Each structure stands twice: as structure tokens, then as C-alpha cells.
């Protein structure tokens, strides 16, 4: 079993709030497939410090304990985690009531560490469904060759490598919470309920 590891999560100040943050992943499978790190963590506290790269810039620092890594174990087991764009529309803000609570987070890596933004998947662990946990344990990885696309109509035109995610009705909630988009035996991507 993987032991607890203390990691520092730093939110790096980069630019002013000039452009809007565009978040594309509303299904956990998409966030999983496009992230370098997927982990269950406990946020312990937050503080600020001057950036080592630019002392005039303030960084937000989150201290976390990693409970379990679902993706990125080899590369990020003991990493200092960097967040992005403090003071911009894509800055990561952790719920002040969410400290000392288990969370599921996704993040991307670069040569400086791991970047967490406002578009990173961040959800209290108590809100993660049993099917999503199974997805994190390997089911989602099988569907990374598929693309989940937003669909606001009853019927949407998609390619064989896409699954339409309903965004305007309750069916989309079922897809997000209980299903995965994976290739069938013919290589066509379809929604399947995770059992």
C-alpha cells in the first residue's frame, strides 16, 4: 500500500486577469486522460510566499497529503506541486471549508512540477461515485483513445472515436457519474455503464 506523502502545492502568479479560463473537461474520464497526475489528497493549509523565479510575484502554496495516486505514481510520488496563474481567471481556489478533507484532484506536469488550475478536476472524495473510483482504477484508461464531446441536443453527430456527453439533461449526469466512453470490439467508441 502506498504511504502518505507530504507534498507542497504552489499556485504560481503568472499574469493578470486578462483572459477567461476555458475548461473543457466536464467528464472525469477526459480529465483523467489529459492529466499527468490524478490523486486522492487531503488539503492541509494554504499560505503565500514570494516566488523564487520572480521575488515581486506572490505564490499561493497549498500543503497536501497524497492518500493515493491513480495516475502519475512513477513521476509524481514525492513532487512539489505547482499551480498556475495566481491572480488570473484560471487560478485554483480551494474551498476554505475543504481543508483536512479528502479530495480527488487532477493536474498537469511540466519541468517545474505539477500545475493545478481552476480547470483541474477537484471534487470532495465523498462526492466521487463507486463507478468513478472503478474508472480511476483502470477503466478510464481503456477509453483514452476516445474523445468525449459536449452535446446539447437529443441526437448529436459524432465520429466513431467520439461519445456525445449530454449537457442539458439528467442523462448527462448519469454519463458523468456512472459511465465510461470506450471502444467496442469494432473500435467504435460507445458509452458503457461501469459495473
Amino acid at each position: 500500500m502506498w504511504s502518505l506523502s507530504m507534498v507542497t502545492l504552489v499556485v504560481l502568479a503568472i499574469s493578470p486577469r486578462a483572459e477567461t479560463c476555458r475548461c473543457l473537461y466536464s467528464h472525469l474520464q477526459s480529465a483523467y486522460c489529459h492529466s499527468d497526475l490524478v490523486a486522492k489528497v487531503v488539503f492541509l493549509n494554504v499560505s503565500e510566499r514570494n516566488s523564487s523565479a520572480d521575488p515581486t510575484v506572490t505564490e499561493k502554496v497549498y500543503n497536501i497529503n497524497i492518500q493515493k495516486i491513480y495516475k502519475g505514481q512513477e513521476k509524481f510520488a514525492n513532487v512539489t506541486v505547482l499551480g498556475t496563474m495566481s491572480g488570473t481567471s484560471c487560478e485554483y481556489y480551494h474551498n476554505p471549508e475543504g481543508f483536512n478533507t479528502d479530495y480527488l484532484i487532477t493536474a498537469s506536469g511540466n519541468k517545474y512540477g505539477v500545475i493545478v488550475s481552476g480547470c483541474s478536476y477537484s471534487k470532495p472524495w465523498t462526492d466521487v461515485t463507486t463507478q468513478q473510483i472503478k474508472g480511476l482504477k483502470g477503466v478510464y484508461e481503456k477509453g483514452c483513445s476516445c474523445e468525449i464531446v459536449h452535446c446539447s441536443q437529443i441526437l448529436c453527430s459524432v465520429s466513431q472515436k467520439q461519445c456525445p456527453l449530454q449537457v442539458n439533461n439528467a442523462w448527462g449526469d448519469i454519463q458523468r457519474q456512472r459511465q465510461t466512453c470506450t471502444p467496442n470490439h469494432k473500435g467504435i467508441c460507445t458509452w458503457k455503464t461501469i459495473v
Side-chain angles (χ1 to χ4, degrees), residues 36-190:
D36 298 313
L37 174 68
V38 180
K40 177 182 178 183
V41 303
V42 175
F43 284 84
L44 301 174
N45 57 50
V46 61
S47 61
E48 291 185 350
R49 71 176 184 196
N50 290 337
S51 168
S52 55
D54 181 355
T56 64
V57 174
T58 302
E59 297 174 328
K60 193 176 285 183
V61 180
Y62 290 97
N63 291 308
I64 63 173
N65 276 334
I66 293 180
Q67 304 294 309
K68 180 161 181 68
I69 294 179
Y70 292 96
K71 183 178 179 186
Q73 172 72 35
E74 307 78 31
K75 191 172 181 182
F76 301 113
N78 297 307
V79 72
T80 297
V81 183
L82 297 177
T84 60
M85 302 177 218
S86 190
T88 72
S89 63
C90 277
E91 178 178 355
Y92 176 79
Y93 291 98
H94 190 68
N95 180 350
E97 296 177 9
F99 288 96
N100 299 310
T101 304
D102 291 343
Y103 266 74
L104 174 64
I105 63 164
T106 64
S108 298
N110 67 20
K111 65 181 181 179
Y112 303 107
V114 177
I115 299 167
V116 178
S117 75
C119 288
S120 295
Y121 194 94
S122 175
K123 187 176 195 177
W125 188 256
T126 55
D127 294 343
V128 179
T129 67
T130 302
Q131 288 89 350
Q132 288 173 322
I133 294 169
K134 288 180 181 178
L136 294 169
K137 292 180 177 179
V139 175
Y140 290 152
E141 187 172 2
K142 294 175 186 173
C144 285
S145 62
C146 297
E147 178 186 11
I148 298 173
V149 296
H150 289 189
C151 175
S152 58
Q153 304 168 354
I154 299 298
L155 296 174
C156 292
S157 177
V158 295
S159 76
Q160 293 184 351
K161 292 294 183 184
Q162 295 176 323
C163 289
L165 175 65
Q166 297 294 322
V167 294
N168 292 333
N169 58 40
W171 184 246
D173 291 338
I174 292 169
Q175 291 171 316
R176 278 190 276 287
Q177 296 171 6
R178 301 181 189 152
Q179 295 187 331
T180 182
C181 173
T182 55
N184 65 16
H185 66 284
K186 294 182 179 178
I188 299 170
C189 295
T190 59

